[in-house]
Amino acid sequence: MQLGMIGLGRMGGNMVLRLLRAGHTCVAYDRDQQRTRTFDESEKARSDKATSVADVVKQLKPPRAVWVMLPAGKITEDCVNELSGLLQPGDTIIDGGNTMFKDDVRRAAALKPKGLTYMDVGTSGGVWGLERGYCQMIGGDKAAFDRLEPIFATLAPGGSGKTPAEKGYIHAGPAGAGHFVKMVHNGIEYGLMQAYAEGFEILEKCASENVPAERRYNLDLHAIAEVWQHGSVVSSWLLDLLEIALREDARLDNFLGYVPDSGEGRWTVEAAIEEDVPADVLSTSLFARFRSRQHPAFADKVLSAMRKGFGDHQEVPPPARSGVEASITAWKKAFGK
């Protein structure tokens, strides 16, 4: 099956590689033309390269399907708008980023009079998706979902599952449903990560002078993360990633503990307010990230380590790192932390 992919970053590029390896054909485009030319140079089967969004559309055969894998916000909005002026009735635009679900509802309604189908695909899998596959939560027209299911099935983990959900993808509902489910997924992720972060800080601080000498323990945090991977009810992929981080950096000294939030956590809390759901854990985990940007703790380094593990997320842009480090050092000096 043929697919156009716009955006060849950490996930978009690997998604194209996974499709190519399964025998699909792809037209690939990134505004970084060097990236476009080289991202699949080690593959046996390679994508067709486009030099612009218009060139992507030109190279696709009707009915076209174009997957937009760009950061949520203006860059995605502009790309969808550009595509809407180039595509023909019967074609489909897929937004696989972390767009706010209300924007999906609006876009689908705006594109419908043009005969264009809009689909939103909440995509989880991060930098590991090429090998592990991508969990996909899909919203939009069911007929378009059925037509494009070979693409979704290839990108999914697959395995021995019999149903789409068992294989790692679902049609969640009409426009916006996919990103709504992914939004809550990310909100839950915040809570899970915060629980690990707080727990490991309690383990890390039990050797501090605040604890009576007879109850101070110099614990091996890496060993604890590793043993919890085997038979424990708190084992998970997030814990696996934390174990890797602690194996490489036992005290997580290479992390500042400055933890950004990408929007989905805030949107989840907003949805909870709208629905009168007392989301205590999810709200607190979001606020903890705000606090980390003022005075980070060891728990925040744990969060940073997990975020880097699953998505290669950076704490701060490299040019800003020295300034953030100075701010953290000044705070620690002032408060003795």
Side-chain angles (χ1 to χ4, degrees), residues 48-166:
D48 297 315
K49 308 302 191 296
T51 58
S52 65
V53 172
D55 193 29
V56 172
V57 174
K58 182 179 178 180
Q59 293 190 50
L60 291 171
K61 299 176 182 178
R64 304 170 185 83
V66 183
W67 190 304
V68 179
M69 203 65 183
L70 298 172
K74 186 178 187 301
I75 186 172
T76 293
E77 187 76 19
D78 290 347
C79 186
V80 170
N81 288 337
E82 183 175 1
L83 284 168
S84 71
L86 297 167
L87 295 171
Q88 298 175 342
D91 294 344
T92 301
I93 298 174
I94 304 166
D95 179 1
N98 282 323
T99 288
M100 171 52 151
F101 74 97
K102 295 177 183 178
D103 291 335
D104 296 316
V105 176
R106 171 180 54 79
R107 290 175 189 164
L111 294 172
K112 188 174 182 179
K114 298 183 178 183
L116 301 178
T117 302
Y118 178 89
M119 304 197 74
D120 51 289
V121 181
T123 311
S124 181
V127 296
W128 299 80
L130 175 58
E131 303 300 333
R132 291 171 55 105
Y134 300 89
C135 175
Q136 299 156 90
M137 298 137 271
I138 304 160
D141 181 72
K142 182 61 165 60
F145 168 84
D146 292 339
R147 180 173 71 83
L148 295 168
E149 190 166 5
I151 295 291
F152 302 135
T154 297
L155 291 173
S160 59
K162 296 181 180 180
T163 67
E166 290 174 343

Side-chain angles (χ1 to χ4, degrees), residues 134-285:
Y134 300 89
C135 175
Q136 299 156 90
M137 298 137 271
I138 304 160
D141 181 72
K142 182 61 165 60
F145 168 84
D146 292 339
R147 180 173 71 83
L148 295 168
E149 190 166 5
I151 295 291
F152 302 135
T154 297
L155 291 173
S160 59
K162 296 181 180 180
T163 67
E166 290 174 343
K167 294 178 181 179
Y169 66 99
I170 60 167
H171 180 253
H179 278 150
F180 182 82
V181 175
K182 177 58 161 51
M183 176 190 76
V184 178
H185 162 286
N186 283 23
I188 292 171
E189 178 186 291
Y190 278 37
L192 291 172
M193 292 172 68
Q194 187 64 31
Y196 282 126
E198 292 175 8
F200 272 86
E201 180 161 7
I202 294 170
L203 295 170
E204 191 259 349
K205 289 290 192 295
C206 73
S208 74
E209 295 181 356
N210 294 332
V211 178
E214 68 274 15
R215 289 193 278 109
R216 294 176 193 166
Y217 307 116
N218 186 21
L219 300 174
D220 185 335
L221 301 185
H222 170 255
I224 293 169
E226 187 165 27
V227 76
W228 283 354
Q229 292 175 290
H230 304 283
S232 168
V233 296
V234 299
S235 61
S236 72
W237 185 38
L238 288 171
L239 184 62
D240 294 346
L241 297 173
L242 178 57
E243 181 272 322
I244 293 171
L246 289 167
R247 185 197 315 162
E248 298 173 349
D249 181 3
R251 309 307 299 182
L252 302 180
D253 291 329
N254 291 323
F255 293 95
L256 298 175
Y258 183 100
V259 190
D261 68 285
S262 54
E264 298 90 338
R266 298 180 188 225
W267 300 338
T268 301
V269 172
E270 290 173 3
I273 293 170
E274 185 177 54
E275 299 170 15
D276 292 337
V277 176
D280 300 3
V281 171
L282 306 190
S283 301
T284 301
S285 65

Side-chain angles (χ1 to χ4, degrees), residues 5-8 27-31 33 36 48 50-53 56:
M5 178 68 74
I6 298 175
L8 304 174
V27 179
Y29 169 71
D30 193 282
R31 64 182 180 181
Q33 283 295 288
T36 303
D48 297 315
T51 58
S52 65
V53 172
V56 172

